[in-house]
Amino acid sequence: MNLDLTGNRLGELLIKKGLLSEEDLGKAMEQRSATTDRLGKVLIGLGFISEDDLYKTLSEQLNIPYLPQSEYPEATILDIDFSLKFMRQYRFFPLEIKDGTLAIAMSDPLDFDTIDELRLFTKQKIKVYISKETDVLTAIEQRYGEGTTTMEKIIGDMAEEELQLLAYGEEEDIDHLRDMASEAPIIKLVNLFISRAIEDGASDIHIEPFEDKLLVRLRIDGILHDIESPPKRIQAAITSRVKIMANLNIAERRLPQDGRVRLRVAGRKIDLRVSTVPTLYGESVVLRVLDRESIFLRLEDLGFPSDKLDDFERLIHKPHGIILVTGPTGSGKTTTLYAALEKINSPDKKIITVEDPVEYQLSGVNQIQVNPKIGLTFANGLRSIVRQDPDIMMVGEIRDRETAEISIQSALTGHLVFSTLHTNDAPSAITRLLDMGVEGYLVSSCLEGILAQRLVRVICKSCKQPVIPDKKALEEMGIKAREMRVAYRGKGCDVCKNTGYHGRTGIFEFMTITDPVRNLILEKTGSSIVRQKAIQMGLKPLREDGWDKVKQGVTTIEEVLRVTREEEVAGLMEGS
């Protein structure tokens, strides 16, 4: 609580009401002076007063009505979504909306920041009741927690005939379907999926139709997790609701569609990138969650070892050349590029990007969205931005020879160019460019560095514990020099949703293009020989960087093995 319960006013009121003696108040004040706890908490902890006594007295002191949990309304509010995490953190429970006013129960009615945020978010007046913290938290768990889900209440509130009308069928009346998709229960369900995804830190929401069920899954830290799914018969209404939000054609079910939604959830600006694809049993919908307020990580926060970070920072401050970031989809390439651009962005530089799609808006950066339907490809966009007098260019991905050659010509004419390739490791990026038909002398003359990366899940700090490492996993990692006696893993708790992991970090393989490597490029040498030469000159492979993070207790051996490709690493860790 943030209530200031340190003044004498509270103690005087409790004494006046006969709930506290002066002697007990003195003892409580003496103990409070040695802690940072509020007076009310100290009084309760010493057993001098009850929680009821405290909050009823505070109600009188602050002239705010006191409301016990027994008087909370039975019905939940369908018109507004608050995430479970948001309500828990700020200790408030939504009671009802009536005549443009949202009534809430709070354990700290002087938390004006939260009250102001609720007012802005709901566009309603706020009426506050003071309520015990235990009552508020209990009500949140009972009404919105996992024990009694909101989905159960929403589905339970829908009449059987209404559910039957929502059954999926090719002959569905589009106007009727549009009406049903705009009804409060369906809106509430879709909002519930979105709120749950944001609360759990999910990157994607998958709504997948099958013959006898509708499956909803969240991708959290790179892994898909099932959540409670709605009945199959309201599939069409849910899909239509998402389409309406993204301004897509709800009558078109035979072709894929893409759209975008911008909204605010619990005061946070969220973008959703929506993709629909027709399948045998209906349309599969995926919503990519883009939290505009949490994307901008500094390079220092991505997981770089200090030596690699210094080398990479030196590289991105070069006046010209090409820097590539490689890895499979979902390996964090875009985040790394954005962090690099943020690092070097300054008023004296002009930065232009060509992306597909533009995932996040960068302040002070000109960003172009690729649109193949009108002929705006990476190659065409690149040709145009070269004439815009940029200092730094970022190409979302080099997909073909034309894009590669324009990028190289831009680098040769004095521009610093960032881009990505889908390759497993850093040396393979060179082979990919040569396979596209780019001349070796062009690649060797402008390529400055290649960063290969993966994302590994981080061991949950709340349930982290030492374990004996699995011998087979050690052998697969190529650990032969000595046996690791102790490793770490997450036991599983509420914080990590019993996965043992919470959050992700990067593992990296960073290769600077030195003169010996340039000579190998000119000779069009295979990637394996380039890799051997780079290792001789100090290249630390992905698995070795992952192994370092295992030894530091950041992640697990199994997680490093999961995200790295199969390769010969025997002897790689000798002496580690």
Side-chain angles (χ1 to χ4, degrees):
M1 293 193 310
N2 294 321
L3 282 170
D4 183 7
L5 309 181
T6 60
N8 291 329
R9 176 63 176 154
L10 175 63
E12 291 173 359
L13 281 173
L14 289 168
I15 291 172
K16 186 177 180 180
K17 295 177 68 173
L19 300 172
L20 183 69
S21 68
E22 292 187 8
E23 181 181 0
D24 287 344
L25 176 60
K27 291 178 181 177
M29 293 294 287
E30 182 179 350
Q31 178 165 323
R32 191 207 160 277
S33 64
T35 70
T36 58
D37 291 337
R38 305 291 186 181
L39 176 59
K41 185 175 181 179
V42 173
L43 289 169
I44 293 173
L46 291 172
F48 292 159
I49 61 172
S50 68
E51 197 177 10
D52 273 324
D53 294 338
L54 172 64
Y55 281 91
K56 288 178 181 178
T57 304
L58 285 172
S59 172
E60 293 180 24
Q61 181 186 358
L62 302 173
N63 196 28
I64 296 174
Y66 171 73
L67 191 71
Q69 186 188 353
S70 60
E71 296 181 21
Y72 289 9
E74 289 295 328
T76 54
I77 300 174
L78 291 179
D79 299 331
I80 295 175
D81 269 315
F82 299 114
S83 75
L84 192 61
K85 182 178 180 180
F86 185 60
M87 290 187 288
R88 284 170 175 164
Q89 182 175 352
Y90 296 105
R91 304 292 198 266
F92 77 90
F93 180 83
L95 299 168
E96 64 175 355
I97 294 180
K98 188 176 182 180
D99 300 329
T101 299
L102 169 65
I104 61 171
M106 294 187 78
S107 63
D108 184 355
L110 299 184
D111 183 1
F112 298 119
D113 289 340
T114 297
I115 294 171
D116 288 341
E117 188 170 345
L118 290 173
R119 186 181 295 112
L120 290 171
F121 175 60
T122 63
K123 296 180 174 57
Q124 306 273 346
K125 296 178 182 178
I126 307 297
K127 182 176 181 179
V128 179
Y129 291 88
I130 190 170
S131 195
K132 293 188 299 183
E133 185 171 312
T134 52
D135 282 356
V136 171
L137 293 175
T138 299
I140 290 171
E141 295 305 320
Q142 288 179 349
R143 308 289 177 84
Y144 298 96
E146 296 179 359
T148 305
T149 66
T150 306
M151 185 178 300
E152 288 176 345
K153 290 184 174 294
I154 296 169
I155 300 300
D157 290 341
M158 297 175 69
E160 182 65 25
E161 58 270 20
E162 188 177 25
L163 288 171
Q164 293 294 341
L165 286 171
L166 292 175
Y168 188 90
E170 288 298 322
E171 71 285 352
E172 186 77 62
D173 184 321
I174 298 302
D175 290 334
H176 176 67
L177 186 58
R178 188 188 305 274
D179 291 340
M180 299 307 295
S182 300
E183 292 293 327
I186 298 301
I187 293 173
K188 181 71 175 178
L189 277 176
V190 174
N191 289 348
L192 177 66
F193 299 150
I194 296 170
S195 297
R196 175 76 178 272
I198 294 167
E199 178 187 337
D200 291 349
S203 61
D204 301 86
I205 305 168
H206 291 246
I207 304 173
E208 302 168 309
F210 294 95
E211 183 177 10
D212 57 353
K213 63 181 177 180
L214 181 65
L215 192 63
V216 180
R217 300 193 287 174
L218 303 181
R219 188 176 296 279
I220 302 170
D221 293 336
I223 304 295
L224 282 171
H225 299 270
D226 290 351
I227 63 171
E228 186 184 13
S229 300
K232 168 74 174 177
R233 50 189 168 179
I234 62 173
Q235 169 186 321
I238 290 174
T239 302
S240 297
R241 174 59 192 165
V242 175
K243 285 178 154 185
I244 289 170
M245 293 172 68
N247 292 317
L248 301 179
N249 182 1
I250 68 170
E252 180 56 75
R253 298 172 181 164
R254 300 166 299 173
L255 295 173
Q257 296 187 66
D258 295 295
R260 196 163 186 141
V261 182
R262 178 167 293 179
L263 67 164
R264 293 179 68 91
V265 178
R268 293 161 61 183
K269 296 178 181 178
I270 303 295
D271 284 349
L272 300 175
R273 203 169 73 211
V274 179
S275 171
T276 69
V277 174
T279 70
L280 186 61
Y281 299 107
E283 290 176 282
S284 172
V285 181
V286 176
L287 298 89
R288 168 63 59 88
V289 181
L290 307 173
D291 187 345
R292 288 186 280 160
E293 296 182 8
S294 66
I295 175 61
F296 296 113
L297 299 174
R298 302 178 305 155
L299 281 175
E300 295 84 355
D301 300 328
L302 299 182
F304 278 101
S306 57
D307 55 341
K308 283 185 185 176
L309 179 61
D310 293 340
D311 292 342
F312 188 65
E313 284 197 21
R314 276 195 296 270
L315 205 65
I316 66 177
H317 282 94
K318 281 182 172 286
H320 53 78
I322 291 183
I323 299 170
L324 297 176
V325 180
T326 77
T329 301
S331 59
K333 299 187 299 295
T334 301
T335 300
T336 298
L337 286 176
Y338 280 173
L341 292 180
E342 282 286 301
K343 189 76 173 181
I344 60 179
N345 190 9
S346 62
D348 63 333
K349 292 185 177 68
K350 179 162 184 173
I351 303 176
I352 305 181
T353 72
V354 185
E355 305 173 59
D356 182 23
V358 174
E359 293 194 4
Y360 299 96
Q361 296 176 11
L362 297 171
S363 177
V365 175
N366 296 277
Q367 295 173 271
I368 299 172
Q369 170 87 43
V370 167
N371 189 347
K373 293 180 181 178
I374 60 173
L376 181 54
T377 62
F378 278 120
N380 291 338
L382 267 175
R383 287 196 191 92
S384 299
I385 67 177
V386 169
R387 296 191 289 270
Q388 290 281 310
D389 187 32
D391 298 291
I392 300 165
M393 302 158 58
M394 194 266 273
V395 188
E397 182 184 349
I398 294 178
R399 296 177 178 173
D400 51 42
R401 176 178 177 177
E402 188 177 15
T403 306
E405 289 184 339
I406 299 172
S407 300
I408 287 172
Q409 290 298 328
S410 300
L412 291 173
T413 54
H415 302 92
L416 181 62
V417 181
F418 293 88
S419 192
T420 71
L421 279 174
H422 287 277
T423 62
N424 286 323
D425 59 14
S428 297
I430 296 170
T431 307
R432 179 65 56 83
L433 291 174
L434 296 175
D435 289 344
M436 285 180 183
V438 182
E439 293 295 337
Y441 73 90
L442 291 175
V443 176
S444 67
S445 61
C446 66
L447 190 59
E448 295 293 339
I450 306 170
L451 179 73
Q453 68 177 69
R454 301 288 190 277
L455 291 176
V456 293
R457 291 181 292 172
V458 175
I459 299 171
C460 177
K461 294 179 180 178
S462 299
C463 60
K464 183 177 179 180
Q465 62 181 13
V467 295
I468 298 173
D470 182 73
K471 290 184 179 180
K472 289 184 178 180
L474 285 172
E475 290 175 3
E476 191 175 351
M477 280 288 289
I479 312 297
K480 293 184 177 180
R482 68 185 182 195
E483 184 176 347
M484 186 181 186
R485 296 181 179 179
V486 178
Y488 293 91
R489 125 178 10 261
K491 182 180 179 181
C493 64
D494 291 339
V495 173
C496 62
K497 309 294 182 184
N498 292 312
T499 64
Y501 299 96
H502 187 59
R504 289 190 290 178
T505 191
I507 59 173
F508 302 93
E509 176 180 285
F510 181 52
M511 185 174 79
T512 54
I513 309 302
T514 58
D515 288 339
V517 173
R518 292 186 196 280
N519 292 333
L520 292 176
I521 296 173
L522 286 171
E523 297 168 5
K524 296 188 177 181
T525 308
S527 62
S528 60
I529 297 176
V530 173
R531 182 177 184 81
Q532 290 173 13
K533 174 60 70 174
I535 290 175
Q536 289 173 12
M537 302 189 68
L539 173 71
K540 180 182 284 188
L542 275 168
R543 280 194 175 178
E544 189 171 341
D545 189 31
W547 173 241
D548 287 342
K549 288 183 169 61
V550 171
K551 291 190 292 185
Q552 295 163 11
V554 174
T555 190
T556 63
I557 298 173
E558 293 79 8
E559 187 65 9
V560 174
L561 291 172
R562 182 182 68 85
V563 302
T564 55
R565 69 182 179 89
E566 294 297 326
E567 58 185 0
E568 289 296 329
V569 291
L572 189 63
M573 304 297 181
E574 285 294 333
S576 63

